[in-house]
Amino acid sequence: MPRHLFALLIALALTPLIGGCKPTKAERAAAPPAAAPKTDAAPAPPPALPPGAKAGPLDLSKIGPHDEAYAHESLSPDEWASVALMYQSKGRFGEALATLDQALARYPDEAHLYAVRGALWLQLEEYAKALADLERSLERAEDPGVRVNYAEALRRFDRKQDALSSLDRALATNPDYLPALFNRGVLRFELGDEAGALADFDRAIALDPVAAAPYFNRAAVRWALGRKQEAIADLDAFIERAPVGTWKATARDLRTSWQEQLEAER
């Protein structure tokens, strides 16, 4: 089995996403093109309001960053981020990036905005841009979720020891932070530390026995260690928990292959 496991992307909304479930380049190419962010343009001025008028309550299901019903100055950094994430959830990545560009023009020292834009660049496989934004975020505020994404960006440049240090730092802040444990297990496995990887995946499963991905990764580690029956049992646990999709089919094919190898050894 190749020495490559699931990795997690964190901090688009600071919730985990399984790597591989993000839109692929082919899927993005097939989708209608998003509007390109105007990085060289000044932020649009806020709409004029009658004297004494106030923007109404924020309804993220209806509002976009240029909606005439709301003044730009009424949006907090978190509300700007929420608008960007609304666009991201609909696959409108250009508009999400443009929203974050405008938000950062207004709030240039807001760590969370850099974290969200960095996570979005990471999702879009723009790793150099992701690394720069995540570094800016961490310079302003330490955050274990941002550390996980920063480590993944470093890993994409094969800076695996630096990535490992970033995850260690996240776990020093929160020893039970599952995304950091999970991704550290991935890195340890790639670096040849099967025992360390197994310990991290054991801990991840103990913290959240319902999550599917750690079972797939632990199966790979157990198989590499020669614990083949346990590896197949972990694949069964993954298949039981995983949603229908490519990874579930991959796990079923892998289980068939492993079972055939076991039977051939008897």
Side-chain angles (χ1 to χ4, degrees):
M1 180 173 181
R3 300 188 69 84
H4 180 73
L5 309 181
F6 278 121
L8 291 180
L9 286 177
I10 311 299
L12 275 174
L14 295 184
T15 57
L17 304 171
I18 294 178
C21 295
K22 61 187 178 180
T24 64
K25 289 182 178 178
E27 289 168 339
R28 294 201 303 274
K38 298 180 180 179
T39 54
D40 56 347
L49 292 176
K54 295 182 180 180
L58 186 67
D59 182 352
L60 294 178
S61 68
K62 299 177 181 178
I63 186 173
H66 305 292
D67 195 307
E68 292 296 323
Y70 296 91
H72 281 209
E73 68 265 23
S74 72
L75 300 186
S76 69
D78 284 346
E79 288 168 339
W80 275 103
S82 294
V83 173
L85 291 167
M86 176 190 69
Y87 281 130
Q88 178 268 341
S89 70
K90 296 178 180 180
R92 295 162 64 179
F93 300 109
E95 289 161 284
L97 289 168
T99 298
L100 292 166
D101 289 346
Q102 291 192 49
L104 282 163
R106 183 168 182 82
Y107 300 103
D109 292 320
E110 187 62 37
H112 180 57
L113 291 173
Y114 285 111
V116 173
R117 192 172 69 177
L120 184 55
W121 284 128
L122 194 58
Q123 185 182 17
L124 293 172
E125 300 177 9
E126 294 280 0
Y127 300 122
K129 293 176 182 177
L131 197 62
D133 271 346
L134 296 167
E135 284 177 350
R136 292 186 187 107
S137 179
L138 289 167
E139 285 168 1
R140 289 160 174 79
E142 187 62 38
D143 184 280
V146 180
R147 280 276 163 206
V148 170
N149 275 357
Y150 183 57
E152 179 61 13
L154 290 167
R155 177 173 167 265
R156 295 293 181 163
F157 287 101
D158 205 32
R159 293 171 57 185
K160 293 182 180 179
Q161 289 296 341
D162 291 336
L164 193 61
S165 296
S166 183
L167 294 171
D168 286 342
R169 187 163 176 179
L171 288 164
T173 303
N174 184 350
D176 290 337
Y177 190 52
L178 191 146
L181 275 170
F182 187 95
N183 279 20
R184 191 174 69 177
V186 172
L187 268 174
R188 284 175 161 177
F189 185 69
E190 291 179 350
L191 291 167
D193 180 10
E194 286 91 354
L198 186 61
D200 281 341
F201 293 134
D202 282 344
R203 182 63 181 152
I205 288 168
L207 289 169
D208 187 357
V210 177
Y215 290 97
F216 185 98
N217 284 5
R218 192 173 70 176
V221 178
R222 283 177 161 175
W223 188 265
L225 290 169
R227 296 165 59 175
K228 297 183 178 181
Q229 290 286 5
E230 292 172 289
I232 290 174
D234 272 343
L235 276 187
D236 287 338
F238 172 80
I239 292 165
E240 179 184 348
R241 291 164 174 78
V244 174
T246 302
W247 279 104
K248 194 180 188 89
T250 297
R252 285 178 173 147
D253 291 343
L254 187 60
R255 190 199 188 286
T256 299
S257 174
W258 284 359
Q259 189 64 46
E260 288 173 352
Q261 291 180 54
L262 272 182
E263 291 172 0
E265 292 170 2
R266 290 173 184 165

